[in-house]
Amino acid sequence: MNVCFAPCPVVFDLDGTLIDSAPDIHACVNAVLRLRGVRPLTLDQVRGFVGGGVDLLWRRVIGATGLPTDAHRDLVASFMTRYHEATGLTRLYPNVIEALGILADRGYPLGICTNKPLGPTRAVLEHLGIDRLFGVVIGGDSLPQKKPDPAPLRAAFAALGADPAQPRGIFVGDSEYDAETAQNTGVPMLLFTRGYRKAGIDELVHHAAFDDFQKLPLLVEETSAQAFAPSQG
């Protein structure tokens, strides 16, 4: 028997979902590349590398720049010294605060599940003034597994009171990683279409899509009612 709060928990991805952090990530990447005498990458290039965590980001940067693969560890370390406090260029997407406030006021337990390392995640949430809205924050280094493995999302739902084996909750994300994570976890996904995804909307498994956070509270209510309505009889 599933145990969960009512209404059901809502867990969010971070980069490309609640926040546009690509400008800060881009600046940190290029600061490291400058130290190596490497030509900087464009914002669009770096935005396309975001989603799988810092290690994958730098594997993609190395592939794009021709840097030696054995420099990966040093590049990541150099990047992280800058990334931990990189908040100045990051912005919330429009209407995020309003949507989160409505969901919180209606009693939905809120959480974060991201592949972004936990330190930078907490720093940017605090910088943007939304850290206290979330009952749990799972970062890319909180567990041995990263999305699209279901373990981080299951942990987030469990911390909000859901059955980790069969969570009755909703995941909100923007990317292929998020769609696969929701599918692997067995929960409905709401797809924010202005984020960092590379595939077409129709290529991603999702319950519903939206392009403005004003639409999210109603979508959450509808999805919760459809996916988790009590059985009759």
Side-chain angles (χ1 to χ4, degrees):
M1 178 178 178
N2 288 333
V3 178
C4 70
F5 288 99
C8 68
V10 182
V11 177
F12 294 83
D13 172 54
L14 187 59
D15 297 288
T17 299
L18 296 178
I19 63 173
D20 182 10
S21 54
D24 269 318
I25 297 172
H26 174 243
C28 292
V29 166
N30 280 342
V32 175
L33 294 181
R34 279 195 297 272
L35 292 176
R36 296 273 178 157
V38 175
R39 184 177 179 177
L41 298 174
T42 68
L43 177 58
D44 283 344
Q45 282 178 298
V46 173
R47 183 180 284 112
F49 297 161
V50 174
V54 171
D55 283 344
L56 182 57
L57 167 74
W58 274 97
R59 285 201 293 272
R60 289 167 169 167
V61 170
I62 287 169
T65 59
L67 283 164
T69 56
D70 59 6
H72 180 271
R73 183 175 178 178
D74 290 341
L75 292 166
V76 168
S78 182
F79 173 80
M80 289 302 298
T81 62
R82 295 157 174 81
Y83 189 39
H84 270 291
E85 302 299 328
T87 59
L89 302 176
T90 295
R91 298 290 182 267
L92 289 162
Y93 284 106
N95 300 315
V96 163
I97 288 181
E98 293 81 359
L100 293 175
I102 290 170
L103 292 172
D105 288 345
R106 291 177 181 173
Y108 288 93
L110 306 179
I112 295 286
C113 181
T114 175
N115 279 339
K116 191 185 194 80
L118 188 59
T121 295
R122 292 197 179 279
V124 75
L125 291 175
E126 183 176 349
H127 173 75
L128 295 170
I130 60 173
D131 52 310
R132 295 184 181 181
L133 291 171
F134 301 103
V136 62
V137 178
I138 302 292
D141 50 0
S142 295
L143 298 174
Q145 305 89 345
K146 291 181 173 64
K147 297 183 299 180
D149 190 289
L153 185 54
R154 290 187 188 279
F157 282 127
L160 297 175
D163 180 348
Q166 293 182 304
R168 295 162 64 96
I170 296 169
F171 187 41
V172 183
D174 72 295
S175 72
E176 294 85 347
Y177 288 97
D178 299 326
E180 187 177 350
T181 302
Q183 192 172 15
N184 291 342
T185 309
V187 298
M189 177 193 167
L190 300 180
L191 175 65
F192 179 57
T193 59
R194 294 175 57 191
Y196 300 160
R197 65 182 166 81
K198 302 165 190 67
I201 295 173
D202 293 341
E203 298 176 59
L204 276 63
V205 176
H206 60 282
H207 185 85
F210 67 103
D211 61 0
D212 187 331
F213 270 85
Q214 278 188 324
K215 303 174 183 177
L216 183 64
L218 180 58
L219 276 178
V220 167
E221 290 199 347
E222 292 175 343
T223 302
S224 177
Q226 293 166 10
F228 307 120
S231 59
Q232 300 298 316

